[in-house]
Amino acid sequence: MFSPHLRDILRLALPASAEAVIQLLFNFLAQLIVASLGATAVAAVGFSNNVTLIAIFTLATLGTGAGILVARARGAGDREAVARTTGTALLLASAVTLALVLVLSVFARPVLGGLGAPAELAETATPFFQVALLGVPLIVLSVVAGSVMRSLEQPRVPMFATLVAAAVNVAVGYALVRGVAGLPRLGLVGAAWGALAGQVLRVVLLGAFLYGPRGLVPWGWSGVGARGRALVGELLHLSLPLAATQLAWSGGNLLYALFLARLGTEVLAGVQISNTLEGIFIVASSGLVPAATALIGQAVGQGDAGLARERARVVERFGLVTGVVFGALFALSALALPALYPAVGAEVRQVALSAILVNAAIQVVKVANLVRGGGILPSGSDTRGVLIGDAVGAFAVGLPLAWGLAFGLGLGVWGVLLARVAEEVAKVLIFAWRAKKLAWPRVIAAQAGVAAASD
């Protein structure tokens, strides 16, 4: 059913999925440390993350662009282009993120206030936010480096670096929050310094694997001439629509949360519980995205349209299997709600149960959108199609329908849940249409032209 390409897919996908699960697990432990400081600390971290996560998700799309171009260069056997693309992507990511962090650091307090933080909460959150901002460039650099390594078929390296960094984050964060082993007791800010320590270590490890004595690539970059402008232009051509997609996705999620909050605290809490549990099962399929990027990109670099098409088809089919399997496991997780959340109340658990069952039923659709929108369409240089699908799905279908069903027809939380189903269905139809339109020979010809301009 899946052809010989399945082994290659699993070899790349399993470490990437394991890395995502590791990150989720340690993030959960870090959240428990913050929760021990009280509700104000939790709210302060939440307000800070509203900004830092949007910045990270948006700027990290440079990693997707770099991964695609490196995979194509590797497929073409052009080691110099691999080095040039890697160095240029890392320098571009550093410049953009450092500029953004500088601005946000200067205006940290007004930014938090603009998000709606009360004066007391903004006072608590500002020191944490300023330290957390220092980690944004490091996280983006790690994402870019990790994408390059997966395209070079070294997925275990970023997995190992993430494991070590996450462990350091929790250990140092706990020590600084509590003042363990003679270290200063810094409270909430200690958690931010712990996260920063982990990110520094991750960048150092990835840098050593990339550029050390036995590194994967020699240092290189494209310069500032015509060749450099051509490479940066191609990176931005692939990355900017994906960045806009991330902004649209983040904005859409915020509006859905506002709708749910209007329906009541219990409704919002119940859906948030469902979303938290769903994340564990969705990331189990997320490794298919870098696998698609690497394998399809290599086929494009080799000039083999048939191989690119076949690998895209196999990744899509395997995504159907993982969507069904992990969707079923997600549905079964509802049985653990009383044990996991005994203190939230029966009404919240009932909302969470409904949300889990609805989202589990369409997880196969969500995974299909993840694979096509995150891997196949960008690998075919159709990042515009990804933006169209996400924007139309959320702002033309999902959000208007959520408002109409939840408040116009009085369906409440069921209106929002059904609207989100309609959004995913709209996206899967658009992504499938765009994927069907991909002309791999044209993609290969365009890549050859970019390569010639960069030489």
Side-chain angles (χ1 to χ4, degrees):
M1 177 180 178
F2 299 114
S3 81
H5 301 300
L6 180 58
R7 178 176 295 181
D8 292 330
I9 292 171
L10 292 176
R11 177 168 50 83
L12 296 174
L14 289 178
S17 292
E19 180 184 350
V21 172
I22 289 168
Q23 190 72 64
L24 275 179
L25 175 61
F26 279 95
N27 283 348
F28 176 68
L29 295 176
Q31 288 171 358
L32 291 181
I33 295 171
V34 170
S36 69
L37 298 174
T40 301
V42 174
V45 172
F47 269 97
S48 299
N49 287 345
N50 280 336
V51 179
T52 57
L53 288 179
I54 290 175
I56 290 166
F57 289 152
T58 302
L59 297 173
T61 57
L62 287 169
T64 302
I68 292 170
L69 294 182
V70 166
R72 292 176 180 178
R74 186 178 189 275
D78 192 341
R79 183 173 172 81
E80 182 185 350
V82 169
R84 216 166 45 229
T85 302
T86 301
T88 300
L90 290 171
L91 290 173
L92 180 62
S94 299
V96 173
T97 52
L98 285 173
L100 177 64
V101 164
L102 178 61
V103 173
L104 290 176
S105 296
V106 172
F107 298 102
R109 182 69 178 270
V111 167
L112 293 174
L115 287 172
E120 181 181 354
L121 184 59
E123 182 71 26
T124 301
T126 297
F128 175 90
F129 181 47
Q130 289 175 322
V131 177
L133 283 172
L134 299 177
V136 172
L138 301 175
I139 294 172
V140 174
L141 285 175
S142 295
V143 171
V144 173
S147 297
V148 167
M149 289 180 176
R150 295 185 194 97
S151 293
L152 295 175
E153 300 196 15
Q154 298 292 330
R156 295 182 182 179
V157 174
M159 180 186 72
F160 168 75
T162 296
L163 173 61
V164 174
V168 168
N169 173 6
V170 172
V172 175
Y174 179 79
L176 291 176
V177 167
R178 293 296 184 184
V180 174
L183 293 173
R185 187 185 181 99
L186 300 180
L188 181 60
V189 178
W193 284 113
L196 183 62
Q199 295 306 328
V200 169
L201 181 57
R202 182 160 70 154
V203 167
V204 170
L205 289 173
L206 292 174
F209 278 111
L210 267 179
Y211 295 118
R214 298 182 180 180
L216 295 173
V217 295
W219 169 255
W221 73 299
S222 61
V224 295
R227 182 170 68 175
R229 290 193 296 272
L231 180 54
V232 170
E234 184 63 12
L235 273 170
L236 295 178
H237 171 73
L238 292 170
S239 302
L240 285 180
L242 296 178
T245 297
Q246 287 295 334
L247 286 174
W249 178 78
S250 300
N253 281 344
L254 176 61
L255 290 174
Y256 278 119
L258 292 175
F259 290 171
L260 293 168
R262 180 168 177 172
L263 292 171
T265 303
E266 292 79 8
V267 169
L268 178 60
V271 175
Q272 289 296 335
I273 288 172
S274 170
N275 291 342
T276 299
L277 292 173
E278 184 180 23
I280 298 172
F281 298 96
I282 283 289
V283 299
S285 298
S286 64
L288 293 173
V289 172
T293 298
L295 295 174
I296 297 172
Q298 290 171 20
V300 170
Q302 294 166 11
D304 192 332
L307 182 60
R309 187 180 302 109
E310 177 62 21
R311 285 177 171 175
R313 187 179 300 116
V314 173
V315 173
E316 284 182 335
R317 290 174 181 172
F318 193 60
L320 293 177
V321 174
T322 63
V324 170
V325 171
F326 290 112
L329 293 175
F330 177 37
L332 290 175
S333 73
L335 299 175
L337 286 174
L340 292 173
Y341 300 95
V344 299
E347 183 178 353
V348 173
R349 288 196 298 271
Q350 183 59 47
V351 172
L353 172 64
S354 301
I356 287 172
L357 294 180
V358 170
N359 286 303
I362 64 164
Q363 186 154 135
V364 65
V365 177
K366 291 187 175 184
V367 172
N369 288 332
L370 177 71
V371 170
R372 289 195 183 108
I376 293 173
L377 290 176
S379 295
S381 298
D382 187 16
T383 50
R384 182 180 299 177
V386 182
L387 177 58
I388 292 172
D390 279 332
V392 170
F395 295 99
V397 178
L399 288 165
L401 196 58
W403 179 267
L405 293 177
F407 303 107
L409 296 181
L411 296 182
V413 65
W414 280 102
V416 177
L417 294 176
L418 292 175
R420 300 221 71 166
V421 170
E423 175 184 333
E424 294 296 333
V425 171
K427 285 168 58 175
V428 82
L429 293 175
I430 293 171
F431 288 166
W433 165 59
R434 300 290 296 201
K436 189 175 181 180
K437 287 182 60 178
L438 284 176
W440 293 106
R442 189 184 309 156
V443 174
I444 290 170
Q447 174 59 25
V450 172
S454 299
D455 289 337

